[in-house]
């Protein structure tokens, strides 16, 4: 059972996490939700389309202009509080690697801390424990925040992913983070080249077999673009194909830009797997 905020999810219940970037230079939307009202509209639409979680980020993942902790908090804390006020039942996640930002957003009402940089600030897990919120434990290959991989190598990429994420997850629980609120993430593109991310995808069942809920952040990423030689705005089909494979292999949470399309893919895969009945069943019965 995965428990986040006020919600509980069964083992075969896929969960959508909608991306809400509070940055002026995000790789996908170039700041479309940097201002409050467009960002709140994004939250409203994402929830209506089937997202249970909104993931709010105040710093672009890739290299760019330096963003201090104070500026990151300015972009996220007040917005978290407003989302909490307007959408009391939505699960609020914040994408941050900094403990001080994590503290501030938990005070404002966040339910989940999405640590995409693999525990680079050990204090973030301590914050999650102190507030009793969830934590995403990600493999980033030892990369520092906002850096791109350069000639990175692994003897066995999945072995490294498992070693890092399981270690982070067990440490989080030992600190007091609720076990049912901890997720592990292979960290596609983070500290990895395209071949590493493809291998992590096809071996995703090894992560699922650990018993920890698996989160995947696949949406429009470079490994999809390089696999198909497509720019950012033409990666939806590749993203959805990767989503379907990940769902079949047992991933549970999907961090995405396109909520409605992802919802259909996940509903179809769970129907094929026998975990969900068809929405209608008229064929051959009339």
């Amino acid at each position: 059972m995965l428990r986040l905020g006020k919600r509980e999810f069964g083992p075969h219940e896929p969960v959508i996490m909608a991306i809400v970037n509070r940055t002026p230079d995000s790789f996908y939307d170039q700041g479309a939700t940097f201002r409050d009202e467009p960002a709140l509209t994004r939250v409203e639409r994402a929830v209506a389309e089937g997202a249970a979680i909104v993931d709010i980020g105040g710093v672009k993942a890739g290299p760019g202009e330096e963003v201090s902790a104070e500026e990151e908090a300015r972009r996220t804390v007040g917005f978290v509080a407003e989302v909490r006020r307007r959408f009391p039942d939505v699960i609020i996640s914040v994408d941050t690697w900094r403990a001080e930002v994590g503290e501030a957003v938990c005070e404002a009402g966040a339910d989940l801390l999405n640590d995409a940089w693999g525990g680079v600030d050990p204090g973030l897990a301590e914050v999650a424990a102190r507030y009793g919120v969830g934590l995403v434990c990600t493999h980033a290959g030892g990369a520092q925040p906002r850096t791109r991989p350069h000639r990175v190598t692994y003897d066995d990429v999945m072995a490294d992913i498992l070693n890092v994420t399981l270690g982070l997850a067990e440490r989080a629980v030992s600190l007091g983070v609720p076990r049912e609120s901890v997720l592990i993430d292979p960290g596609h593109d983070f500290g990895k080249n395209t071949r590493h991310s493809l291998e992590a995808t096809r071996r995703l069942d090894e992560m699922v077999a650990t018993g920890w809920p698996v989160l995947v952040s696949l949406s429009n990423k470079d490994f999809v673009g390089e696999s198909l030689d497509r720019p950012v705005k033409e990666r939806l089909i590749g993203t959805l194909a990767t989503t379907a494979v990940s769902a079949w292999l047992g991933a549970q949470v999907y961090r995405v830009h396109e909520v409605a399309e992802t919802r259909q893919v996940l509903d179809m895969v769970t129907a094929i797997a026998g975990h969900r009945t068809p929405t209608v069943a008229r064929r051959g019965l009339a």
Side-chain angles (χ1 to χ4, degrees), residues 60-82:
K60 175 184 176 181
E65 183 179 343
E66 182 179 355
V67 180
S68 66
E70 292 76 16
E71 174 61 17
E72 182 184 0
R74 188 191 69 79
R75 295 176 180 183
T76 55
V77 176
F79 185 72
V80 167
E82 184 62 14

Side-chain angles (χ1 to χ4, degrees), residues 100-131:
E100 59 195 291
V101 175
E103 182 104 28
V105 296
C106 285
E107 283 286 343
D111 304 299
L112 176 65
L113 297 175
N114 181 12
D115 181 7
W117 289 103
V120 69
D121 183 347
L124 191 63
E126 297 169 10
V127 171
R130 190 157 58 250
Y131 285 87

Side-chain angles (χ1 to χ4, degrees), residues 5-6 82-92 109 111:
K6 300 177 181 179
E82 184 62 14
V83 172
R84 180 82 296 148
R85 185 184 73 82
R86 295 198 192 190
F87 306 91
D89 296 325
V90 75
I91 299 162
I92 300 176
D111 304 299

Side-chain angles (χ1 to χ4, degrees), residues 13-276:
E13 185 177 359
V15 182
I16 295 178
M17 170 190 274
I19 299 166
V20 183
N21 290 315
R22 302 309 318 283
T23 61
D25 54 354
S26 55
F27 90 100
Y28 182 71
D29 59 26
Q30 290 82 50
T33 53
F34 183 47
R35 294 184 299 109
D36 286 352
E37 284 308 316
L40 288 165
T41 298
R42 162 68 174 162
V43 172
E44 183 176 22
R45 180 179 175 185
V47 171
E49 291 179 342
I53 309 170
V54 293
D55 189 47
I56 298 163
V59 184
K60 175 184 176 181
E65 183 179 343
E66 182 179 355
V67 180
S68 66
E70 292 76 16
E71 174 61 17
E72 182 184 0
R74 188 191 69 79
R75 295 176 180 183
T76 55
V77 176
F79 185 72
V80 167
E82 184 62 14
V83 172
R84 180 82 296 148
R85 185 184 73 82
R86 295 198 192 190
F87 306 91
D89 296 325
V90 75
I91 299 162
I92 300 176
S93 170
V94 176
D95 180 355
T96 185
W97 73 87
R98 291 165 164 151
E100 59 195 291
V101 175
E103 182 104 28
V105 296
C106 285
E107 283 286 343
D111 304 299
L112 176 65
L113 297 175
N114 181 12
D115 181 7
W117 289 103
V120 69
D121 183 347
L124 191 63
E126 297 169 10
V127 171
R130 190 157 58 250
Y131 285 87
V133 303
L135 182 70
V136 179
C137 300
T138 307
H139 179 272
Q144 289 299 303
R146 308 193 67 194
T147 61
R148 298 195 188 280
H150 178 67
R151 297 184 180 178
V152 62
T153 61
Y154 299 95
D155 291 334
D156 182 329
V157 67
M158 182 51 72
D160 203 81
I161 288 170
L162 290 171
N163 181 58
V164 170
T165 57
L166 298 184
L168 291 170
E170 292 294 351
R171 174 179 182 267
V173 172
S174 74
L175 291 169
V177 180
R179 179 174 286 271
E180 63 274 17
S181 302
V182 175
L183 304 99
I184 58 174
D185 177 356
H188 288 82
D189 275 0
F190 281 54
K192 300 171 189 67
N193 61 32
T194 289
R195 289 182 176 85
H196 294 143
S197 292
L198 291 172
E199 182 173 351
T201 304
R202 63 177 169 267
R203 296 176 62 186
L204 207 60
D205 56 341
E206 296 177 41
M207 296 189 75
V208 174
T210 67
W212 296 98
V214 175
L215 179 151
V216 288
S217 183
L218 312 167
S219 193
N220 302 292
K221 283 197 167 178
D222 285 348
F223 82 97
V224 174
E226 289 193 355
S227 294
L228 302 175
D229 192 18
R230 289 288 185 269
V232 170
K233 293 296 185 179
E234 296 178 17
R235 297 176 183 176
L236 175 58
I237 293 173
T239 296
L240 295 178
T242 313
T243 298
V245 170
S246 300
W248 189 258
L249 293 175
Q252 185 164 18
V253 181
Y254 300 80
R255 183 177 181 272
V256 305
H257 297 97
E258 292 92 354
V259 174
E261 295 87 343
T262 303
R263 181 78 272 163
Q264 287 192 50
V265 169
L266 295 176
D267 285 350
M268 192 68 212
V269 172
T270 52
I272 293 168
H275 303 314
R276 173 184 173 275

